[in-house]
Amino acid sequence: MDFQTLCGIAGILSSQRAVNPAAVQAMIGSMAHRGPDGSEVWAGAEGRLVLGHRRLAIIDPTPASAQPFIAHGVTLTYNGEIYNYREIRQELLSRGHVFATEGDAEVIVAAWRQWGEACVEFFNGMFAFALWDQAKGQLFCARDRFGEKPFLYTLGGGYFAFASEYRALLSLQQVDGDVDHARLARFLVSPADGLDRGDATLFPAIRQLPPAHVMVLDQHDLTSRPRCYWLGRSIRLNRRLTPQAAADAFRDLLADSVRLRLRSDVPVGSCLSGGLDSSAIVCLARRELGPDTPYHTFSGRFPGTSADEGPYMESVAALAHPVRHDVEPKPETLLAELGRFAEANELPVDSASQYAQYCVFRLARQNGVKVLLDGQGADEILGGYEQYFAAYLRGGGADSPLLHSRYGDALTQVQPWHARLPAGLRRLLAHNLGKGSDLAFGLAADVPVERRPPAANLHEALRRDALDGFLGTLLRYGDRNSMAHSVEARLPFTDHRIYELIQSLPVEYLMGEGETKRLLRAAMAGILPDMVRLRWRKHGFVPPQVTWLHQALLPAVEAAVEDGGLSSLWDRKWWRGAIRRFRAGDTSQAPPLWKVLATESWRVHFLGGVASRPKFQPLL
């Protein structure tokens, strides 16, 4: 029987002194939600290495599947899925490797023995792992191409420690919880730049292995060699493919990606929002599974509001015939669960849509479905946001009347006069005139704000958001919200083969004739209902934040403004004015008001929770 696990990992490697096993036990204990099906700690290298693992069993629940996994002098602790592990296993069998199991953990070990650091180039999946090679005295760490699975670490003081979550590293005595307020401010003002770019994090004491990177640490001196193994960039455009041939190639890749991600011995379902991306996955999954296999979908609904997408969901259900499950997130439950939600996410979230996602994953777990396919990544890889049209035109993309009729309000390439003023003057005008909804106006005057210049063309905009920006933040939300309920989320659109195809195509194939995600729309003809496929304006999975604020959340926002502990970050006078303007009907204030609530909730519940828990010495 196959086995795979999605889980939490942790470990400490010391150059001189013995590692404290109790510290690693505490680290994985803090991540029990990531792996409620088992917990193991392994010590090696004469006590100078301890690896830990929390297990979420997706296929084989027997003890034979436990990690850390040990074979041929190699020990692995691993979080994720190698979807093509069966194909890699066959290749390794042909090269003389012998396997004692049918699972992907042993495939990773064998691939390391065969190809060394290059093993990751063969993997199609989401993964973060640390692999100890006793003969080489090296710890090999790796992360998947898009960063679906987290790999956080700290290095210094004679040891290297890593974990899947911040809370685990912050349980160590020498790792403080100081926050980089400038980085936090940049995220709040420009969420597309995120908190997940590069190797720095919101906590200066903690770094991350960036997506598509590997790192080797030597046992004796802890020297590290981070290296990028995938750039995801096409050298030249492929103009030989016709638009129809490109759509056919894309459809075949997406269908194969769905096929690989349906591999499981536990029930698999899908998130279904009624949008193009999740609907495409549901319909392709039905084609792969056949008409008789039960397939579950999970949706967030907002009846009676413009945010509800029920009719679109119904059109997909009429074709795919899933077993449907709906949840209706409410502002009252958000308020009651705000602390638990903020603590689960570990960093501030920029929209109430993340709470709706949190509720959908919980619904899946309540119905016994441990694996969900989701449409995350399609917008950033395929060109799904209307604001990408500006980059499309800047880079020489063909204009068209359809583009202006559908998305005219997204095409303003010349900023209004007030947006071109110096930041300090804009802030002064906003305060004196009592106008504006830019969150930067609500920051203290001495808080720096950084914004990246606009991308020069569409491919650059997509590369930036997919590999060095907003997608990394969205993937973190998905990881934390799914793992909070011990659910595995699989993302067919983040298959690297799809990304490489997209980057090789002319921009007209991606956004020509006024179509966002043009390639996906063409590929899904005859598969998706046209009601969904030809829906031009992007809605997004966004709850009715304005209504929620009026109904239940505004008093909590007022309390956050008046009592907030991040007093050095906020300009309270501006926030009081923003609240008054919102009460008077200025709905543009809703997004920044949510952000101050979410940020202060994170400070109280996550930072406060970490500070109140015991700390452990990493070394004996």
Side-chain angles (χ1 to χ4, degrees):
M1 179 180 287
D2 302 344
F3 70 85
Q4 295 169 302
T5 57
L6 200 74
C7 43
I9 61 174
I12 301 175
L13 174 66
S14 170
S15 59
Q16 300 293 331
R17 295 163 55 189
V19 172
N20 181 7
V24 177
Q25 189 67 61
M27 292 168 75
I28 63 171
S30 71
M31 300 184 292
H33 50 282
R34 296 188 75 92
D37 300 328
S39 173
E40 297 287 343
V41 168
W42 174 88
E46 300 176 341
R48 287 183 289 153
L49 171 66
V50 177
L51 301 177
H53 188 267
R54 291 290 322 197
R55 184 179 181 210
L56 174 62
I58 296 302
I59 298 182
D60 180 11
T62 68
S65 302
Q67 290 188 49
F69 181 84
I70 305 168
H72 304 288
V74 175
T75 305
L76 171 73
T77 184
Y78 154 54
N79 171 22
E81 303 278 10
I82 307 299
Y83 301 119
N84 64 333
Y85 74 101
R86 294 178 186 170
E87 291 78 5
I88 297 173
R89 186 177 186 274
Q90 285 302 120
E91 171 67 20
L92 291 167
L93 282 168
S94 72
R95 293 172 178 263
H97 289 265
V98 177
F99 291 85
T101 75
E102 296 289 334
D104 62 343
E106 190 173 15
V107 168
I108 293 175
V109 171
W112 163 258
R113 294 176 60 226
Q114 179 66 42
W115 296 301
E117 292 183 33
C119 66
V120 292
E121 298 172 22
F122 293 82
F123 299 157
N124 183 337
M126 55 177 180
F127 54 85
F129 65 79
L131 180 152
W132 170 250
D133 190 313
Q134 178 63 39
K136 295 181 179 180
Q138 292 180 340
L139 188 70
F140 176 63
C141 307
R143 193 175 181 202
D144 65 71
R145 292 171 178 84
F146 288 96
E148 292 181 55
K149 293 293 104 183
F151 192 101
L152 304 166
Y153 70 92
T154 185
L155 176 60
Y159 72 92
F160 167 81
F162 68 90
S164 297
E165 294 187 354
Y166 289 101
R167 75 189 80 243
L169 291 170
L170 292 170
S171 70
L172 299 179
Q173 192 70 52
Q174 283 80 9
V175 182
D176 65 56
D178 290 347
V179 171
D180 182 345
H181 282 184
R183 191 175 180 89
L184 175 59
R186 183 181 68 196
F187 162 71
L188 293 172
V189 170
S190 181
D193 287 338
L195 294 173
D196 304 274
R197 287 174 55 199
D199 65 347
T201 76
L202 188 58
F203 300 95
I206 298 175
R207 308 197 77 78
Q208 68 170 341
L209 187 63
H213 275 66
V214 297
M215 179 169 60
V216 178
L217 289 105
D218 186 88
Q219 172 187 3
H220 301 292
D221 56 10
L222 299 184
T223 54
S224 61
R225 294 187 286 111
R227 176 180 66 83
C228 180
Y229 64 86
W230 182 75
L231 294 174
R233 181 175 301 179
S234 176
I235 297 174
R236 63 185 61 167
L237 292 180
N238 185 351
R239 297 189 180 275
R240 293 173 298 174
L241 283 177
T242 65
Q244 185 58 54
D248 292 343
F250 170 77
R251 182 182 59 251
D252 291 344
L253 283 178
L254 182 59
D256 191 60
S257 180
V258 170
R259 177 186 67 84
L260 289 175
R261 285 157 180 78
L262 286 172
R263 287 177 169 173
S264 175
D265 285 343
V266 299
V268 179
S270 283
C271 300
L272 177 61
S273 70
L276 186 60
D277 312 328
S278 62
S279 299
I281 291 171
V282 170
C283 290
L284 288 172
R286 173 51 71 205
R287 287 163 65 96
E288 175 67 26
L289 294 170
D292 299 325
T293 302
Y295 194 68
H296 298 256
T297 61
F298 298 87
S299 306
R301 298 287 306 276
F302 311 100
T305 75
S306 60
D308 189 63
E309 296 192 283
Y312 302 98
M313 297 176 194
E314 294 290 346
S315 69
V316 173
L319 276 179
H321 305 291
V323 181
R324 295 189 58 194
H325 308 269
D326 295 344
V327 63
E328 184 183 342
K330 296 179 180 293
E332 298 83 7
T333 55
L334 169 56
L335 199 58
E337 297 180 328
L338 192 55
R340 189 182 311 164
F341 168 67
E343 203 273 339
N345 270 274
E346 294 201 298
L347 297 179
V349 300
D350 75 302
S351 164
S353 63
Q354 280 77 55
Y355 175 69
Q357 182 188 62
Y358 177 89
C359 293
V360 168
F361 284 124
R362 175 168 56 195
L363 179 68
R365 186 66 187 197
Q366 290 170 343
N367 284 274
V369 177
K370 295 170 71 172
V371 178
L372 286 187
L373 273 59
D374 188 50
Q376 197 68 264
D379 289 318
E380 296 78 15
I381 292 171
L382 295 169
Y385 299 125
E386 296 167 14
Q387 58 264 35
Y388 285 145
F389 278 119
Y392 166 78
L393 293 175
R394 277 197 299 271
D399 206 343
S400 74
L402 282 175
L403 175 53
H404 288 269
S405 65
R406 289 172 180 160
Y407 302 109
D409 56 351
L411 297 180
T412 305
Q413 299 193 61
V414 179
Q415 293 178 314
W417 67 269
H418 56 80
R420 301 196 300 274
L421 296 174
L425 182 56
R426 289 183 66 228
R427 184 176 184 276
L428 181 63
L429 287 171
H431 278 247
N432 287 342
L433 299 176
K435 295 183 177 181
S437 59
D438 190 334
L439 188 138
F441 301 149
L443 297 175
D446 59 347
V447 175
V449 175
E450 174 191 343
R451 301 179 197 260
R452 285 199 281 185
N457 55 62
L458 178 60
H459 278 308
E460 180 185 330
L462 296 179
R463 282 196 298 269
R464 176 188 290 184
D465 278 359
L467 303 183
D468 189 35
F470 194 37
L471 181 56
T473 296
L474 296 176
L475 294 176
R476 169 168 51 80
Y477 294 153
D479 174 77
R480 299 309 197 274
N481 285 328
S482 60
M483 288 286 92
H485 305 296
S486 305
V487 169
E488 173 178 324
R490 299 177 176 179
L491 311 178
F493 286 102
T494 59
D495 189 306
H496 66 280
R497 300 171 299 170
I498 290 174
Y499 183 86
E500 289 165 355
L501 172 66
I502 298 304
Q503 286 289 310
S504 76
L505 296 176
V507 294
E508 288 78 12
Y509 291 19
L510 308 180
M511 295 193 79
E513 295 301 323
E515 296 184 31
T516 57
K517 286 183 283 201
R518 188 183 192 189
L519 199 65
L520 178 58
R521 297 179 193 275
M524 290 297 106
I527 299 174
L528 267 181
D530 282 351
M531 179 181 183
V532 173
R533 189 176 70 90
L534 302 180
R535 183 184 181 193
W536 301 116
R537 301 310 298 257
K538 180 173 179 57
H539 186 278
F541 184 41
V542 181
Q545 286 190 144
V546 172
T547 302
W548 281 17
L549 281 164
H550 278 304
Q551 287 180 346
L553 300 183
L554 202 56
V557 173
E558 292 175 311
V561 168
E562 297 302 327
D563 306 328
L566 292 173
S567 56
S568 62
L569 193 65
W570 309 124
D571 182 330
R572 284 196 173 97
K573 180 181 178 182
W574 187 86
W575 288 106
R576 290 169 184 145
I579 292 171
R580 287 195 300 271
R581 295 198 297 277
F582 179 77
R583 288 189 185 280
D586 183 357
T587 58
S588 69
Q589 304 303 319
L593 291 178
W594 160 262
K595 289 180 183 180
V596 74
L597 173 62
T599 305
E600 286 295 339
S601 298
W602 162 76
R603 178 192 63 81
V604 171
H605 297 285
F606 180 73
L607 292 184
V610 165
S612 67
R613 297 186 188 109
K615 292 269 196 174
F616 292 82
Q617 288 289 348
L619 306 178
L620 295 174

